[in-house]
Amino acid sequence: MNTIIPNAIERVLLDEETIAVRVHELAVQISTDYVKSDNLVLIGVLKGAFIFMADLARCLTVPHHVDFIALSSYNRGTVSTGAVRLIMDTRASVTGRHLLIVEDILDTGYTLDYLLRTFRARNPASLRTCVLISKPDRRQVEVPVDYLGFEIPNEWVVGYGLDYSDRFRTLPYIGVLKREMYK
Ligand code: IMP
Ligand code: MG
């Protein structure tokens, strides 16, 4: 396939093939771990996780439901302020169910920390996290990640669900945004 690389992209960091292989590996691991637990619910964090979640869910070999939440994280450009607000909750009740939060990227950790506290308070049967990308250098709060796709350096990445000001989400690869785009 002919991959289109917009001018705003510095370079491709993770190509389609690399992502697909890793997502499949994560799905095998998750399917193994949840083989004995019914009532698995994947909770995708909108909007960023929508593509990752769709690919991951279709690779799972265990029964599961999908649900979504949406957050607003009061970003100023590429800078997170740390304040998080739930703007759309899950459709179904999560009490007594096995929850797997599916997130696109872990940066400061504020978002996932907020989600873990929020869902823990609702008494699920279990609560784990699956994150496609982590930027460990940026962490402000430590959060447990049970399933991790990739660790990357501190750069702004877009594509495969990830955006910059709501742009570039549907690029099939994950690319580094040119610094001049947000400097
Ligand atoms: P955290 O709360 O700082 O961990 O930020 C998590 C959220 O920031 C993610 O869910 C993304 O929406 C956004 N984010 C952080 N880094 C990037 C990036 O490199 N590209 C796109 N979105 C990002
Ligand atoms: Mg996100």
Side-chain angles (χ1 to χ4, degrees):
M1 194 169 65
N2 210 349
T3 305
I4 296 162
I5 303 181
N7 227 336
I9 305 299
E10 178 82 51
R11 67 181 192 282
V12 174
L13 189 64
L14 303 164
D15 65 21
E16 278 187 78
E17 170 76 15
T18 306
I19 297 170
V21 167
R22 189 68 189 125
V23 169
H24 188 263
E25 287 172 355
L26 291 174
V28 169
Q29 217 184 318
I30 293 165
S31 298
T32 306
D33 293 353
Y34 286 89
V35 74
K36 286 192 181 130
S37 35
D38 55 353
N39 240 333
L40 169 63
V41 188
L42 308 184
I43 300 179
V45 184
L46 295 174
K47 298 176 194 174
F50 84 114
I51 292 177
F52 174 41
M53 171 98 154
D55 285 349
L56 182 76
R58 286 178 296 170
C59 291
L60 291 180
T61 56
V62 286
H64 58 276
H65 290 176
V66 294
D67 213 325
F68 294 93
I69 52 168
L71 300 171
S72 159
S73 51
Y74 299 106
N75 286 338
R76 287 188 300 254
T78 59
V79 182
S80 171
T81 59
V84 180
R85 188 166 56 105
L86 193 62
I87 55 173
M88 187 193 89
D89 210 337
T90 56
R91 181 71 69 94
S93 163
V94 298
T95 304
R97 306 174 84 187
H98 294 282
L99 309 184
L100 182 61
I101 297 174
V102 179
E103 173 67 306
D104 53 358
I105 190 162
L106 184 56
D107 190 30
T108 61
Y110 290 129
T111 306
L112 204 55
D113 180 63
Y114 168 87
L115 287 175
L116 284 170
R117 283 185 284 111
T118 301
F119 283 101
R120 207 173 283 131
R122 298 178 180 182
N123 300 311
S126 68
L127 179 60
R128 286 186 185 167
T129 57
C130 176
V131 175
L132 182 65
I133 293 169
S134 169
K135 294 197 267 194
D137 296 348
R138 294 264 309 158
R139 208 76 80 246
Q140 298 290 318
V141 281
E142 275 317 310
V143 283
V145 178
D146 298 287
Y147 306 97
L148 175 65
F150 304 95
E151 282 197 345
I152 66 164
N154 179 22
E155 291 180 289
W156 196 265
V157 288
V158 295
Y160 200 71
L162 293 153
D163 74 306
Y164 173 69
S165 288
D166 233 12
R167 295 170 64 201
F168 311 115
R169 279 195 203 280
T170 55
L171 293 175
Y173 52 84
I174 289 170
V176 176
L177 193 68
K178 283 184 181 161
R179 285 201 179 257
E180 66 216 47
M181 291 293 292
Y182 56 89
K183 273 262 166 81

